[in-house]
Amino acid sequence: MLTFVGLGLYDERSVTVAGADAIAAADRAFAEFYTSKLVGADVADLEAYHNTDIEVRDRAGVEQDPEPILSAAESGDCVFLTAGDTMISTTHVDLRLRAEERGIDTRVIHAPTAESAASSLTGLQNYRFGKATTLPFEWAHGADGVPSSVVDTIEANRERGLHTLCYLDIKVDHPRVEGDEYMTASHAAGLLADNWNPDALGVVVARAGAPDATVRADRLGALAEMDFGEPLHLLVIPGDLHHVETDALAGLADAPDAVLDEYRE
């Protein structure tokens, strides 16, 4: 059995009871933290909490050389751990399909993820979100500014009145980066302000799931000048706003009335 376990958003206690039970019952535990990370816990914290050894795999060790994981799942019960939910954003469908092709039973134990937190914390209605996009570091996509695909996604969603969730680039164990690098919401807002529309409304979600989670709404040009603290960050570009959403951004995200008035009928 290969069980994919989402660890949730913040620390070692964010996992569900079902997820903790699966980890406790497993013969071996693998994890990856290159697609996301827990804000409030490291691997040692997880190992102590679950009383188990966790073998951390890098991107190549999951996507190009999954054999140790698959072999462990063939001979016993194995869990594969990620922050958030293992099949939302940090998707590992390929690994699951490889296991199924070898006759290995699989299952998924879900957990809170950035996608659901973005709606929950901002008050923006989840069914009013359109296609999501990822904003990369400039050097990572090999050009200045913002990829046209990002702008196209935002504008297509806005034409339909839908919100856009922008995931922000993460570089872990990258040869061009010393240590790990996480794009901040202020940097992301600055990129969109300079290369798209500085007056557009943006909503920052910082450290979703943490006790000090922060939500702030303002024009992109203003958000670019703010400091939202430690990662991980998300940026939402709203489309049309229902009056309840407008009230939520005012009450939960300190959105200026002058900005929200442009969205009120």
Side-chain angles (χ1 to χ4, degrees), residues 12 17-18 23 52 59 69 136 145 152 166-167 174 213 219 221 227 230 236-237 256:
E12 67 274 18
V17 173
I23 296 171
T52 191
R59 186 182 293 275
I69 302 171
D152 290 346
C166 297
Y167 296 102
H174 194 282
R219 300 188 192 278
D227 183 358
E230 294 296 310
V236 179
I237 308 299

Side-chain angles (χ1 to χ4, degrees), residues 136-206:
F137 289 111
E138 291 178 283
W139 60 265
H141 69 90
D144 294 332
V146 176
S148 59
S149 60
V150 173
V151 173
D152 290 346
T153 295
I154 294 171
E155 292 186 342
N157 284 338
R158 280 163 61 94
E159 287 177 4
R160 299 171 60 199
L162 302 177
H163 315 316
T164 304
L165 175 60
C166 297
Y167 296 102
L168 308 186
D169 206 355
I170 294 174
K171 290 291 180 279
V172 175
D173 296 328
H174 194 282
R176 289 188 55 179
V177 176
E178 184 175 344
D180 301 334
E181 189 168 356
Y182 302 88
M183 183 181 289
T184 65
S186 55
H187 183 80
L191 286 175
L192 289 174
D194 292 340
N195 297 278
W196 178 56
N197 182 356
D199 295 323
L201 176 63
V203 188
V204 170
V205 178

Side-chain angles (χ1 to χ4, degrees), residues 54-242:
I54 297 174
E55 302 173 50
V56 179
R57 306 284 288 177
D58 61 12
R59 186 182 293 275
V62 174
E63 298 176 1
Q64 299 174 29
D65 182 27
E67 184 58 33
I69 302 171
L70 297 173
S71 294
E74 277 185 323
S75 60
D77 286 335
C78 174
V79 290
F80 183 79
L81 317 174
T82 72
D85 186 296
T86 59
M87 294 299 164
I88 303 295
S89 303
T90 55
T91 178
H92 291 289
V93 175
D94 180 70
L95 181 60
R96 189 181 186 193
L97 291 176
R98 290 183 188 224
E100 292 285 345
E101 288 171 359
R102 288 171 60 155
I104 300 169
D105 291 332
T106 67
R107 63 173 174 154
V108 179
I109 298 178
H110 302 285
T113 187
E115 186 176 47
S116 58
S119 174
S120 300
L121 289 171
T122 61
L124 297 175
Q125 297 167 2
N126 73 302
Y127 55 83
R128 294 169 65 90
F129 278 78
K131 178 183 176 181
T133 188
T134 297
L135 187 58
F137 289 111
E138 291 178 283
W139 60 265
H141 69 90
D144 294 332
V146 176
S148 59
S149 60
V150 173
V151 173
D152 290 346
T153 295
I154 294 171
E155 292 186 342
N157 284 338
R158 280 163 61 94
E159 287 177 4
R160 299 171 60 199
L162 302 177
H163 315 316
T164 304
L165 175 60
C166 297
Y167 296 102
L168 308 186
D169 206 355
I170 294 174
K171 290 291 180 279
V172 175
D173 296 328
H174 194 282
R176 289 188 55 179
V177 176
E178 184 175 344
D180 301 334
E181 189 168 356
Y182 302 88
M183 183 181 289
T184 65
S186 55
H187 183 80
L191 286 175
L192 289 174
D194 292 340
N195 297 278
W196 178 56
N197 182 356
D199 295 323
L201 176 63
V203 188
V204 170
V205 178
R207 295 172 304 284
D212 65 342
T214 297
V215 181
R216 184 65 189 276
D218 208 325
R219 300 188 192 278
L220 290 173
L223 294 175
E225 302 300 321
M226 300 180 189
D227 183 358
F228 300 102
E230 294 296 310
L232 298 171
H233 297 176
L234 298 167
L235 181 63
V236 179
I237 308 299
D240 297 338
L241 294 176
H242 184 274

Side-chain angles (χ1 to χ4, degrees), residues 26-50:
D27 299 305
R28 291 178 69 181
F30 296 87
E32 69 84 357
F33 297 107
Y34 57 83
T35 52
S36 188
K37 72 168 187 175
L38 294 174
V39 176
D42 57 19
V43 175
D45 295 324
L46 289 168
E47 290 180 325
Y49 184 78
H50 293 288

